[in-house]
Amino acid sequence: MIYFDTAVQDYSNLSQTEIFADYACQEAVYLLQNEPVDIGNFILQKDQLFEHGFPMDMGTQVYIQPSPFQRGEMFYSENDSSRFCTRCRSTFHVEMSGLQRTSTAPICQDSDGILYNFHIHTQEPVEILKSFMKAPRANQFNWNMSGKMFALDVESVYTSHGQEVGRVTVVGDLGETVIDAILQPRYQVYDCVTKYSGLTSEHFLYATETLESVRERIFDFINEESILVGHGLNGDLKSLRIIHSNVIDTSILYDNNGRRPSLQQLTSTHLNYQIQNGIGGHCSKEDAVASLQLVYFGAMNPHQLPPYFRNSYSIF
């Protein structure tokens, strides 16, 4: 059963885009509450979770199926000092501690021809697989979160030791902010990748949250039967080291013959407004709300979805 939170919203601090998004979510919730549309049909099955690289609990171990482009690049062992640069696609080496020192001369170049004195990578030590956690089981204290839907988005930065989470946003089923946290990176930030993350070095000046603390905050709001929504959610859950099986991923929900469209493209095509086009970079709140709206749009317009996810009826 899908649970909808019908709490009244306070719009005093929201942008026009956010107001539009939240009102659209409320309208969708109202329609879905009064029509027999099963959003639960969009929840990925176990084989889909595996195929699309979601963290999976395999007995006593956690396993993440790499994509064809990630094989050999996701994790490194304790004595492995080699890394693969996601910017210039070359192999480089770091110190045994994982530290990459900046060079005195340019050693890396992006697709626009800009030079850098450091490489970037997304690889993590294989030992982190032991630190993945599941949301709490449904019990007498959190039963009301069962079936409740939240949308999640993560923005990351690159540090001296690789990629780290910089911001985490969670919104409720009406688009209301539940968590919006800036995390303090463990290591020195080399590149905020502002045009993608929307983050700058100033964001981290007073940050106190850690990956562990924000994960615990997420677990305060969900249980194992709650539904998490996102776009490319497998990467977000991997970054947060969370295993969760009740998920809706809009990049898969709107998959087109194996091609997973961007969130920006889907929002423009189906929701008729633009995201991720500001000079300040992406906004995780905006992205989370957009993915939530796309779930509602798909439920109201099943003919826009691949055959696997289509219902036999539309409310229009």
Side-chain angles (χ1 to χ4, degrees), residues 156-193:
S156 298
V157 298
Y158 289 103
T159 75
S160 60
H161 286 65
Q163 191 178 53
E164 290 192 49
V165 175
R167 181 183 179 187
V168 177
T169 303
V170 179
V171 301
D173 55 14
L174 292 181
E176 74 278 15
T177 302
V178 174
I179 297 172
D180 194 8
I182 302 295
L183 279 61
Q184 182 60 58
R186 292 180 60 195
Y187 301 105
Q188 180 183 353
V189 176
Y190 280 2
D191 191 349
C192 290
V193 283

